[in-house]
């Protein structure tokens, strides 16, 4: 029996998203990849059907935030188009700073526009010299009267150039290490804020990934999230809750590729029978399906725990394991799907080569999978487990 902890109402919403994905987004996926243009029409589909509302509480115009349902929606959309799935994931990533650390006034000002999808947000942590080592950032924010003056730049920012607000991390005290980092909400219209180069990429081509610069950019002090020095903690709390979104994107890719390869293997014949009946191909299909189901178990558990209020070390470890496993599965399974299609898998007329290219980024962003392994091991070492070594040696 498939893992399905959804309530009846959540299942209904999932089915709506699944139908939208199949009917409205799947027919656009190849063109989005080919044109490498941001799919505003997909954003319109999400707006019309209140898909962004899944991420937000009713008091801010949402339909009642559910992490589990958010992950399911990202998975469903990513089965047919990972660029479109990422739009939902980044709506969450770019909103989490406000949700977790925003004042009532900040939430009232921004969350309704994010819940309706009127505004898209972004999360700006990475810099040219600081990716995995994010605390080595150089962007600064200096208090000046009723504002902070930001100087520096960020790189590889998803939604660069299309987002209306950016959650930006900058050093308010360069001598204080992690504790010298603060978080700000920066509106794209702020003088001194500029978007630089948008990068051409291997996959998720319709998503924009670009540089943003701050040149004496005066951000009102009321846009500080939490207190000065809270920024690094906020950045990590956001990632604990957003990494499962990337896991969901990875799982969607893996399941979409498995479904496609299965259908292909049923109809493609060699040596007088469908390739699905050759045991080496059947074994690959079985492994692909098993990996997807195992990944889904972790992903849904993670969503359920977030909805039940999990935080701290329990969430950090589970979220890292979920991101690691689901995205490694995404790469393995999409690669196997290409193999099952043989030469046809390698050409652009079939979607699995796009899925394989799209899968690669899931192992890299929001913390590479090497970093996830470091996080998991660190949390394991912190756990107070009963010793098995007593009396040994
Ligand atoms: C398409 C795309 C979208 C992105 N979107 C965003 C976004 O919206 N917001 C944002 O802030 N960032 C974003 N990023 C940045 C992304 O999160 C970083 O690229 C990623 O965290 C890795 O950082 P880096 O590229 O500097 O690699 P580095 O940190 O230089 O790492 C290089 C290699 O070394 C390994 N490595 C580094 N340190 C260690 C270590 N201690 N132990 C073992 N291995 C290590 C890494 O795993 C990697 O294999 C995006 C990147 C891309 C490509």
């Amino acid at each position: 029996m498939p893992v399905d902890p959804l309530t009846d109402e959540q299942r209904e919403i999932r089915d709506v998203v699944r139908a939208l994905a199949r009917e409205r987004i799947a027919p656009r996926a190849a063109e989005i990849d080919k044109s490498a243009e941001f799919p505003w029409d997909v954003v319109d589909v999400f707006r019309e059907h209140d898909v962004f509302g899944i991420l937000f509480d009713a008091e801010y115009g949402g339909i009642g935030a559910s992490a589990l349902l958010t992950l399911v929606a990202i998975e469903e959309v990513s089965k047919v188009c990972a660029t479109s799935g990422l739009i939902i994931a980044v709506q969450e990533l770019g909103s989490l700073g406000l949700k977790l650390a925003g004042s009532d006034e900040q939430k009232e000002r921004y969350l309704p526009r994010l819940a309706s999808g009127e505004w898209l947000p972004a999360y700006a942590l990475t810099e040219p010299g600081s990716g995995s080592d994010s605390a080595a950032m150089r962007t600064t924010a200096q208090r000046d009267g009723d504002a902070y003056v930001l100087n520096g730049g960020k790189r590889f920012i998803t939604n660069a150039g299309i987002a209306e607000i950016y959650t930006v991390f900058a050093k308010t005290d360069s001598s204080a290490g992690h504790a010298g980092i603060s978080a700000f909400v920066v509106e794209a219209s702020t003088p001194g804020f500029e978007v630089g180069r948008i990068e051409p990429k291997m996959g998720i081509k319709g998503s924009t990934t670009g540089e943003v610069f701050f040149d004496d950019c005066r951000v009102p002090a009321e846009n500080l999230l939490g207190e000065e020095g809270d920024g690094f903690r906020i950045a990590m709390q956001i990632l604990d809750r957003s990494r499962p979104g990337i896991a969901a994107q990875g799982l969607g890719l893996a399941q979409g590729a498995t479904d496609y390869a299965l259908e292909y293997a049923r109809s493609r014949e060699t040596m007088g029978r469908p390739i699905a009946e050759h045991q080496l191909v059947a074994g690959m299909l079985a492994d692909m399906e098993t990996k997807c189901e195992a990944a889904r178990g972790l992903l849904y558990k993670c969503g359920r725990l977030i909805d039940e209020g999990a935080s701290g070390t329990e969430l950090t470890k589970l979220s890292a394991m979920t991101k690691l496993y689901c995205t490694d599965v995404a790469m393995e399974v999409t690669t196997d799907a290409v193999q099952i299609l043989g030469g046809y898998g390698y050409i652009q007329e079939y979607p699995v080569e796009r899925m394989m290219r799209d899968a690669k980024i899931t192992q890299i962003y929001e913390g590479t999978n090497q970093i996830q392994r470091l996080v998991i091991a660190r949390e394991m070492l912190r756990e107070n487990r009963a010793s098995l070594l007593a009396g040994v040696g």
Side-chain angles (χ1 to χ4, degrees):
M1 199 170 82
V3 188
D4 187 357
L6 302 182
T7 63
D8 287 347
E9 194 193 346
Q10 288 176 325
R11 214 168 290 129
E12 269 174 36
I13 297 171
R14 181 210 42 208
D15 291 347
V16 169
V17 176
R18 184 176 285 173
L20 288 174
R22 285 192 185 152
E23 290 159 22
R24 308 280 302 273
I25 300 172
R28 285 275 292 122
E31 180 56 27
I32 292 169
D33 180 59
K34 196 166 166 214
S35 69
E37 280 174 16
F38 184 77
W40 283 108
D41 58 321
V42 171
V43 174
D44 284 339
V45 170
F46 292 155
R47 286 171 175 155
E48 279 163 31
H49 295 272
D50 222 358
V51 172
F52 295 122
I54 295 170
L55 285 53
F56 296 89
D57 284 330
E59 63 179 306
Y60 300 113
I63 61 171
S66 160
L68 177 59
L69 196 53
T70 301
L71 299 177
V72 168
I74 297 168
E75 178 193 350
E76 288 300 328
V77 174
S78 299
K79 281 181 186 171
V80 302
C81 177
T83 288
S84 301
L86 185 61
I87 294 172
I88 305 174
V90 177
Q91 199 73 9
E92 176 72 346
L93 172 69
S95 303
L96 272 166
L98 282 158
K99 288 191 197 178
L100 293 170
S103 64
D104 289 345
E105 193 273 325
Q106 288 170 332
K107 288 179 181 169
E108 276 157 28
R109 185 149 32 113
Y110 294 116
L111 291 185
R113 286 169 156 176
L114 297 169
S116 67
E118 180 192 346
W119 279 13
L120 303 185
Y123 173 88
L125 179 68
T126 304
E127 299 187 2
S130 63
S132 304
D133 185 10
S134 52
M137 69 179 62
R138 294 198 166 169
T139 299
T140 56
Q142 278 203 320
R143 183 79 193 230
D144 179 27
D146 59 358
Y148 285 88
V149 181
L150 270 62
N151 278 292
K154 300 284 174 180
R155 179 168 285 174
F156 296 157
I157 305 309
T158 302
N159 281 357
I162 57 164
E164 296 283 353
I165 56 166
Y166 294 71
T167 306
V168 176
F169 300 88
K171 290 214 159 154
T172 37
D173 180 351
S174 296
S175 63
H178 294 81
I181 296 170
S182 302
F184 302 89
V185 176
V186 179
E187 296 190 18
S189 56
T190 314
F193 174 87
E194 267 179 40
V195 176
R197 191 179 65 210
I198 301 294
E199 310 285 355
K201 305 188 289 296
M202 173 193 291
I204 53 159
K205 289 182 179 235
S207 173
T208 67
T209 309
E211 296 172 313
V212 295
F213 296 109
F214 312 96
D215 182 10
D216 283 335
C217 177
R218 282 184 75 84
V219 176
E222 67 202 30
N223 283 24
L224 175 71
L225 285 172
E227 303 289 328
E228 256 189 44
D230 283 350
F232 193 75
R233 187 177 50 79
I234 294 171
M236 296 303 121
Q237 283 178 344
I238 292 172
L239 291 176
D240 280 349
R241 287 163 182 78
S242 66
R243 282 176 175 155
I246 300 308
Q249 186 191 27
L251 174 58
L253 278 161
Q255 190 67 64
T258 302
D259 295 347
Y260 196 88
L262 175 67
E263 204 173 318
Y264 184 87
R266 272 204 181 111
S267 59
R268 174 75 174 173
E269 292 195 4
T270 67
M271 291 135 202
R273 50 167 128 149
I275 59 170
E277 289 179 21
H278 297 305
Q279 287 185 349
L280 294 177
V281 175
M284 283 174 84
L285 287 167
D287 286 347
M288 290 157 75
E289 182 87 338
T290 304
K291 286 175 188 175
C292 286
E293 200 61 22
R296 189 169 293 110
L298 257 181
L299 182 73
Y300 288 12
K301 177 179 176 182
C302 196
R304 224 174 38 237
L305 278 184
I306 294 174
D307 285 336
E308 287 167 9
S311 63
T313 183
E314 179 191 27
L315 177 60
T316 300
K317 183 178 162 206
L318 181 62
S319 151
M321 290 195 297
T322 304
K323 197 271 182 180
L324 168 66
Y325 189 73
C326 292
T327 63
D328 278 356
V329 162
M331 200 63 238
E332 291 162 16
V333 167
T334 54
T335 306
D336 283 349
V338 169
Q339 192 69 20
I340 287 177
L341 266 74
Y344 296 92
Y346 200 70
I347 65 168
Q348 290 186 349
E349 194 182 333
Y350 293 81
V352 289
E353 67 86 31
R354 182 186 77 238
M355 292 170 166
M356 184 176 142
R357 284 186 285 106
D358 286 351
K360 186 62 211 171
I361 189 59
T362 66
Q363 294 180 303
I364 295 173
Y365 55 19
E366 296 205 23
T368 66
N369 282 5
Q370 282 84 2
I371 295 301
Q372 305 309 316
R373 287 181 169 89
L374 293 182
V375 169
I376 295 160
R378 184 192 67 205
E379 297 305 324
M380 288 169 73
L381 290 166
R382 278 186 185 159
E383 284 167 3
N384 193 12
R385 300 193 189 185
S387 172
L388 301 174
L389 300 181
V392 176

